[in-house]
Amino acid sequence: MVKFVSIAKFDELESGKGKIIKLNGKEIALFKVSDKIFAIDNECKHQGGPLGEGICNEGIVTCPWHQWRYDLKTGLCPENPQIKVKTYEVSVDGNDINIDI
Ligand code: FES
């Protein structure tokens, strides 16, 4: 069952820059790319680096610790599709960003 929860405000996010939020003890990284919002797990699959602090370029975020990369749409690592972070379905209602938990 889809259950959307309001987690942030659209106008709080800067394009290309991540924002880390906490939800139910988990950290989720939000990104705004061309006015679309993406949500992925904040924890890098390599050694747990904070993806929300990474550089985002053309829909790909680069982990700030050792530069593993993830596609924000799919969560897949372009260099190794065996590696994937969880993605979340996002809906935007006015200024509210909601994700499916
Ligand atoms: S912890 Fe992310 S690349 Fe190493």
Side-chain angles (χ1 to χ4, degrees):
M1 184 178 143
V2 177
K3 184 173 185 222
F4 283 98
V5 174
S6 178
I7 49 160
K9 300 294 183 193
F10 187 83
D11 61 8
E12 291 174 347
L13 294 183
E14 285 180 48
S15 198
K17 194 169 174 206
K19 176 180 175 70
I20 300 168
I21 60 109
K22 287 188 180 166
L23 185 66
N24 299 335
K26 193 170 183 62
E27 289 188 341
I28 296 171
L30 300 174
F31 293 90
K32 184 192 281 182
V33 178
S34 301
D35 281 346
K36 281 198 75 176
I37 305 295
F38 297 92
I40 63 173
D41 272 348
N42 187 48
E43 189 176 331
C44 178
K45 290 293 185 182
H46 181 216
Q47 291 180 0
L51 296 178
E53 295 176 16
I55 303 284
C56 177
N57 190 17
E58 296 185 1
I60 304 281
V61 62
T62 301
C63 179
W65 286 5
H66 315 98
Q67 287 73 54
W68 282 26
R69 303 186 322 139
Y70 299 92
D71 185 312
L72 293 174
K73 276 187 199 152
T74 63
L76 293 169
C77 172
E79 288 77 24
N80 183 351
Q82 307 278 330
I83 299 168
K84 182 181 189 302
V85 290
K86 181 175 171 56
T87 58
Y88 298 86
E89 191 176 338
V90 176
S91 78
V92 177
D93 182 15
N95 196 34
D96 290 324
I97 298 171
N98 308 300
I99 65 166
D100 175 16
I101 56 166

